[in-house]
């Protein structure tokens, strides 16, 4: 629940938005006699406003309230509350510049700064660098990212608080799809890799986590319904189940709930998500 | 169609981070494993925790165990500070991820560490992961803290705060008593307020500990326990049981002085209000209400006793009201009269009407034919008669 990061919220909102765009947008016809035209349409965008986590018995553990600017486009703050405590047990406050968070500060129940994360972005909205500072303002770690011309992430370098390179992660793509994440330590020695396999529809079919020697450690297997991720199982190399996540969705494609169960089927984490609706004007391309 | 597919893929790409483990978890996991100094480990832990990825919980638990094992290795001031901060971060994250395999490590933090905030975080996380094996131990810890502060008052209060939140999250009735005592213990208002809020969430049916408090505690605490009984989520029958006990206990207790007599009267009034609110029809309530009417400290208590009989509406309650009305009528005929008696007579008649019970017929007839009563009481008796079948 208390993620020191506001980014997942954007993920949910944008995911929902894209789903709606998919549902509402007619397929362009390829016939040469038809003309490309544009029209303005109103789309409903679910914006996450509340996330609640529950104990296994269904009672509320904690909940988080998301606060946005007036346009509901920029997430400004996430306040987490405990069932019986009137004040937030944690606040994550964003500092926004040009519509993007340039920093996020996390405060504890006592109101004191716990952690600060600072980010820089390129003009295309890609994360260029970030650094994490502790409550005393000391840099604890930092990262730098590189991209190709198409905007695909090619490399991630992770540094420690002293600026020493601790890890280099490379990304490989095939037909525009990420197929391999190659992880090395600061000295260039391989520490592991993640191979991504796709099904015929282009959806992720499996993610395989391998050790430095290439031996399979674990893998993740998703299932989909109408293009939506419904479940994700994590299994060890021998196929034994570690955990399973199941999602439910609303009419607008927004995630309404998630349930994590362990190998025995016991609920380990249950969450629900509530939204407000933003009305966006979008230009839609159609062929006539 | 191509455009449609493209957007579907884009959607999935955005949705994926909700579920799939990220390479970041793997990378920071490795950085943690390779870290030599405490500072490096702390940096890696902060990064791991910041990811919000539940799959990293086992390594966080390992990190906590490692810290506990190497506690004595970190003796410098800076290391001690980083150590305590790191323990807090790990405890909090393990609680957030509800990683129950870490229960024994969290309890080890409570027992072995001196830093009160780290101990409090460990306690809260024990509650969050629902490690009910530790309820008894946490309850005993809070019970001891409730009694009196040790040399470090602030530290004890911080640990007590952690105990209260842990016991709330355990949702086990064994946690009720120490949290109840915390509501009026030596702690600052903030902690006492939290105890009060937590108390309401501890058990779906806290009637057993409430009844124990009513039996054993001072009048002031009996009253407090009865207040929690009124607002608890227990079934109404159980709440009635506790209210009847409170009425009984407060009637049989011999007050030592006026303030105690007043306090016991307050207990009886709240017990009677509870019986009225819960519309108790229990037979045991009738003699207790009659006792409260006869021996009540003030008119308010006596009027509440009459009201509880009226709301009960059983034959036994109607018989008790009949006897009260007849006695008052006989006194009136004998010339014994005052404002209090008139007030009681009117209330007894009105509550008698509530019972709609034929048992009251003769008594109401007696009043309505006794011209010595005031017009108001005669009218009340006539109105009541209309209610009696």
């Amino acid at each position: 629940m208390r993620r020191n990061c506001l980014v997942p919220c954007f993920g949910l909102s944008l995911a929902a938005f894209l789903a709606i765009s998919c549902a509402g947008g007619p397929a362009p016809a390829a016939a040469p006699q038809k003309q490309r035209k544009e029209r303005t349409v109103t789309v409903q965008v679910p914006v996450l406003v509340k996330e609640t986590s529950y104990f296994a018995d269904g009672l509320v553990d904690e909940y988080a309230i998301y606060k946005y600017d007036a346009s509901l486009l920029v997430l400004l703050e996430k306040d987490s509350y405990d069932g019986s405590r009137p004040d937030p047990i944690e606040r994550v406050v964003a500092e926004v510049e040009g519509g993007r968070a340039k920093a996020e500060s996390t405060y504890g129940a006592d109101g004191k700064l716990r952690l600060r994360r600072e980010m820089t972005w390129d003009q295309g909205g890609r994360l260029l660098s970030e650094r994490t500072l502790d409550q005393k303002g000391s840099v604890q770690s930092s990262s730098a990212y590189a991209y190709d011309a198409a905007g695909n992430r090619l490399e991630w370098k992770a540094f420690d608080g002293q600026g020493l390179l601790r890890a280099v992660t490379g990304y490989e793509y095939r037909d525009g799809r990420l197929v391999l994440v190659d992880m090395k330590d600061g000295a260039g020695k391989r520490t592991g890799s993640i191979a991504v396999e796709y099904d015929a529809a282009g959806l992720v079919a499996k993610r395989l986590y391998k050790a430095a020697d290439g031996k399979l450690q674990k893998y993740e297997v998703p299932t989909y319904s109408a293009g939506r991720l419904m479940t994700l199982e994590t299994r060890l190399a021998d196929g034994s189940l570690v955990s399973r996540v199941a999602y439910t969705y609303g009419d607008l494609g927004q995630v309404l709930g998630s349930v994590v169960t362990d190998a025995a089927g016991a609920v380990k984490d249950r969450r629900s998500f509530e939204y407000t609706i933003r009305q966006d004007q979008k230009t839609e391309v159609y062929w006539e | 169609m191509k455009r449609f597919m493209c957007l579907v893929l884009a959607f999935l790409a955005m949705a994926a981070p909700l579920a799939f483990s990220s390479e970041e978890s793997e990378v920071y996991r490795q950085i943690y494993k390779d870290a030599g100094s405490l500072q490096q480990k702390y940096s890696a832990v902060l990064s791991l925790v910041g990811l919000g990825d539940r799959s990293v919980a086992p390594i966080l638990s390992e990190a906590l165990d490692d810290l506990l094992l190497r506690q004595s290795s970190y003796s410098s001031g800076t290391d001690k500070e980083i150590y305590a901060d790191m323990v807090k971060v790990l405890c909090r994250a393990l609680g957030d991820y509800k990683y129950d395999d870490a229960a024994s490590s969290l309890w080890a933090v409570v027992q072995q560490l001196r830093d009160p905030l780290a101990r409090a975080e460990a306690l809260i996380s024990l509650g969050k992961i629902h490690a009910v094996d530790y309820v008894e131990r946490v309850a005993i810890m809070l019970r001891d803290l409730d009694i009196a502060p040790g040399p470090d008052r602030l530290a004890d209060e911080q640990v007590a705060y952690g105990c209260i939140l842990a016991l709330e999250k355990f949702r086990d009735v064994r946690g009720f008593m120490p949290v109840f005592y915390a509501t009026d213990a030596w702690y600052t208002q903030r902690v006492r307020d939290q105890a009060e809020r937590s108390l309401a969430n501890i058990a779906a049916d806290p009637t057993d500990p409430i009844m124990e408090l009513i039996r054993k505690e001072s009048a002031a605490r009996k009253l407090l326990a009865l207040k929690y009984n009124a607002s608890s989520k227990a079934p109404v029958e159980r709440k009635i049981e506790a209210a009847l006990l409170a009425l009984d206990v407060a009637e049989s207790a011999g007050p030592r002085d006026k303030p105690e007599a007043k306090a016991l009267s307050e207990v009886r009034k709240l017990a009677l209000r509870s019986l009225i609110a819960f519309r108790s029809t229990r037979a045991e309530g009738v003699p207790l209400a009659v006792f409260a009417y006869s021996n009540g400290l003030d008119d308010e208590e006596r009027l509440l006793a009459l009201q509880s009989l009226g709301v009960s509406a059983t034959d036994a309650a109607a018989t008790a009201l009949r006897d009260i009305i007849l006695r008052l009528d006989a006194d009136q005929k004998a010339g014994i009269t005052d404002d209090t008696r008139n007030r009681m007579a009117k209330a007894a008649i009105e509550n008698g009407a509530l019972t709609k019970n034929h048992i009251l017929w003769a008594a109401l007839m007696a009043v309505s034919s006794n011209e010595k009563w005031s017009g108001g009481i005669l009218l009340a008796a006539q109105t009541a008669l209309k209610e009696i079948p």
Side-chain angles (χ1 to χ4, degrees):
Chain A
M1 166 66 79
R2 281 184 273 157
R3 232 173 239 196
N4 293 323
C5 168
L6 296 174
V7 172
C9 174
F10 288 120
L12 276 172
S13 173
L14 188 52
F17 158 62
L18 288 167
I20 299 146
S21 300
C22 295
Q33 67 271 26
K34 290 190 176 176
Q35 280 191 316
R36 182 184 187 279
K37 291 186 175 178
E38 289 184 356
R39 64 186 165 207
T40 302
V41 291
T42 301
V43 290
Q44 292 190 310
V45 182
V47 179
L48 182 67
V49 290
K50 188 177 179 184
E51 178 184 355
T52 309
S53 77
Y54 301 87
F55 289 111
D57 59 8
L59 290 165
V60 173
D61 172 18
E62 288 179 10
Y63 62 93
I65 303 292
Y66 293 83
K67 296 175 181 171
Y68 299 85
D69 67 349
S71 65
L72 291 175
L73 280 166
V74 181
L75 179 59
L76 300 176
E77 189 169 329
K78 176 189 173 188
D79 296 345
S80 298
Y81 293 86
D82 193 297
S84 72
R85 285 189 267 182
D87 301 318
I89 53 170
E90 186 182 270
R91 289 171 63 229
V92 184
V93 182
E95 289 166 39
V96 179
E97 194 177 76
R100 286 199 184 86
K102 63 171 186 172
E104 290 170 3
S105 297
T106 303
Y107 300 90
D110 54 4
K112 290 180 186 162
L113 180 73
R114 248 189 220 161
L115 207 68
R116 183 175 165 82
R117 193 167 150 246
E118 295 174 344
M119 295 82 85
T120 61
W121 309 82
D122 70 9
Q123 286 186 332
R126 288 174 291 267
L127 184 63
L128 285 179
S129 69
E130 60 184 325
R131 60 180 199 157
T132 304
L133 300 92
D134 67 9
Q135 68 269 39
K136 296 185 198 82
S138 307
V139 177
Q140 293 297 317
S141 64
S142 60
S143 291
Y145 304 91
Y147 302 86
D148 65 13
N152 296 312
R153 183 178 288 179
L154 290 181
E155 189 181 71
W156 164 37
K157 286 181 177 171
F159 303 89
D160 66 13
Q162 283 73 49
L164 290 172
L165 182 64
R166 308 294 303 182
V168 181
T169 305
Y171 301 84
E172 282 181 34
Y173 300 84
R174 195 173 302 137
D175 302 327
R177 291 177 194 154
L178 177 70
V179 290
L180 184 70
V181 181
D182 193 27
M183 296 173 282
K184 292 175 179 156
D185 66 14
K189 189 179 145 202
R190 173 167 287 117
T191 56
S193 64
I194 304 169
V196 189
E197 296 176 359
Y198 296 85
D199 64 15
L203 303 175
V204 173
K206 206 182 255 188
R207 277 169 72 102
L208 302 115
Y209 294 76
K210 296 173 183 173
D213 59 3
K215 213 171 152 187
L216 182 64
Q217 301 293 300
K218 65 172 184 180
Y219 59 96
E220 291 172 329
V221 191
T223 63
Y224 303 92
S225 173
R228 287 176 186 161
L229 180 68
M230 300 308 288
T231 64
L232 182 75
E233 289 182 353
T234 303
R235 291 180 179 273
L236 295 177
D238 64 3
S240 57
L241 182 69
V242 176
S243 65
R244 184 176 187 273
V245 194
Y247 294 96
T248 51
Y249 293 86
D251 293 344
L252 298 175
Q254 72 277 36
V255 176
L256 292 183
S258 69
V259 180
V260 180
T261 47
D262 65 10
V267 175
K268 307 308 281 184
D269 186 80
R270 185 193 297 274
R271 275 157 212 273
S272 68
F273 305 93
E274 294 169 38
Y275 300 80
T276 188
I277 301 295
R278 191 179 73 222
Q279 306 280 348
D280 277 3
Q281 299 294 314
K282 295 284 168 194
T283 304
E284 189 179 72
V285 177
Y286 66 101
W287 301 81
E288 197 169 64
Chain B
M1 189 61 199
K2 216 170 191 177
R3 177 178 173 272
F4 180 78
M5 273 308 298
C6 172
L7 284 170
V8 168
L9 289 175
F11 162 60
L12 288 169
M14 285 308 300
L18 286 172
F20 292 103
S21 289
S22 69
E23 65 277 12
E24 291 168 298
S25 305
E26 301 300 317
V27 168
Y28 286 121
R29 195 191 306 256
Q30 192 60 46
I31 291 175
Y32 173 79
K33 282 182 177 166
D34 295 343
S37 70
L38 185 65
Q39 176 64 57
Q40 285 172 340
K41 287 182 184 189
Y42 180 49
S43 298
V45 160
L46 282 180
S47 299
L48 276 169
V49 169
L51 296 173
D53 178 358
R54 204 177 176 277
S55 76
V56 304
I59 192 133
L60 298 181
S61 184
E62 270 175 45
L64 185 57
D65 288 341
D66 184 52
L67 281 180
L68 287 164
L69 274 175
R70 293 167 196 266
Q71 215 178 135
S72 55
S73 322
Y74 305 118
S75 50
S76 77
T78 316
D79 273 1
K80 276 185 179 169
E81 211 175 315
I82 295 173
Y83 184 91
D85 284 345
M86 195 167 158
V87 169
K88 278 181 259 180
V89 168
L90 287 167
C91 289
R92 200 179 304 130
L94 290 166
D96 283 348
Y97 297 143
K98 299 187 178 64
Y99 189 64
D100 42 18
D101 288 355
S104 59
S105 308
L106 292 168
W107 181 246
V109 170
V110 177
Q111 286 191 305
Q112 294 175 23
L113 263 66
R114 293 188 66 182
D115 186 293
L117 291 174
R119 295 173 74 203
E121 283 289 0
L123 283 160
I124 295 168
S125 289
L126 275 170
K128 282 173 78 83
I129 64 176
H130 239 101
V132 286
D133 289 350
Y134 296 89
V135 173
E136 203 76 55
R137 280 172 267 191
V138 177
I140 290 169
M141 184 181 272
L142 181 59
R143 185 201 63 188
D144 293 347
L145 287 164
D146 284 344
I147 296 166
D152 191 342
R153 203 180 171 92
L154 178 63
D156 282 355
E157 178 163 283
Q158 286 165 338
V159 175
Y161 190 74
C163 289
I164 291 165
L165 287 170
L167 292 169
E168 177 191 344
K169 288 170 192 306
F170 284 137
R171 296 183 195 272
D172 187 299
V173 74
R174 287 173 289 176
F176 189 90
M177 285 292 210
V179 177
F180 175 85
Y181 287 120
T183 61
D184 69 349
W186 56 270
Y187 310 120
T188 54
Q189 193 63 42
R190 171 178 167 265
V191 177
R192 291 203 304 266
D193 286 350
Q194 183 56 52
E196 213 163 297
R197 285 192 299 269
S198 294
L199 202 57
N201 299 324
I202 286 180
D205 183 358
T207 312
D208 288 337
I210 282 173
M211 286 170 71
E212 197 180 329
L213 290 163
I214 288 168
R215 273 189 210 101
K216 293 181 180 171
E217 275 302 337
S218 64
R221 279 186 171 155
K222 283 185 208 305
L223 187 65
L224 195 56
L226 202 52
K227 279 181 185 164
Y228 289 119
N229 180 63
S231 61
S232 90
K233 298 179 188 90
V236 168
E237 271 312 307
R238 296 279 285 150
K239 292 184 180 196
I240 288 172
E241 209 178 314
L244 286 170
L245 175 72
L247 192 53
D248 190 9
V249 165
E251 282 177 359
S252 21
R256 286 165 298 183
D257 48 28
K258 274 190 176 177
E260 194 176 357
K262 176 95 177 74
L264 286 167
S265 169
E266 291 305 318
V267 173
R268 291 193 295 270
K269 284 180 200 172
L270 183 55
L272 288 164
R273 278 195 195 95
S274 300
L275 294 173
I276 293 161
F278 303 141
R279 308 197 77 80
S280 168
T281 55
R282 292 275 289 268
E284 311 95 288
V286 173
L288 294 170
V290 171
F291 186 93
Y293 166 74
S294 310
N295 303 284
L297 191 77
D298 52 31
D299 284 1
E300 187 188 6
E301 185 180 339
R302 301 180 70 201
L303 289 168
L304 284 168
L306 292 173
Q307 196 182 344
S308 78
L309 290 169
V311 169
S312 172
T314 59
D315 283 356
T319 305
L321 282 169
R322 179 199 66 191
D323 293 347
I324 289 167
I325 293 168
L326 286 174
R327 197 175 315 122
L328 287 165
D329 190 55
D331 288 349
Q332 179 75 3
K333 280 177 182 156
I336 307 168
T337 179
D338 55 40
D339 285 349
T340 301
R341 281 168 197 278
N342 288 343
R343 204 158 39 243
M344 294 301 147
K346 190 161 185 282
I349 291 165
E350 285 167 352
N351 282 297
L354 283 181
T355 67
K356 299 184 191 299
N357 194 313
H358 192 72
I359 289 171
L360 279 144
W361 176 261
L364 293 172
M365 282 299 288
V367 172
S368 61
S369 60
N370 179 357
E371 290 176 356
K372 286 187 174 176
W373 285 112
S374 67
I377 290 174
L378 288 170
L379 182 63
Q382 282 152 16
T383 308
L385 276 167
K386 289 177 192 159
E387 297 291 324
I388 306 298

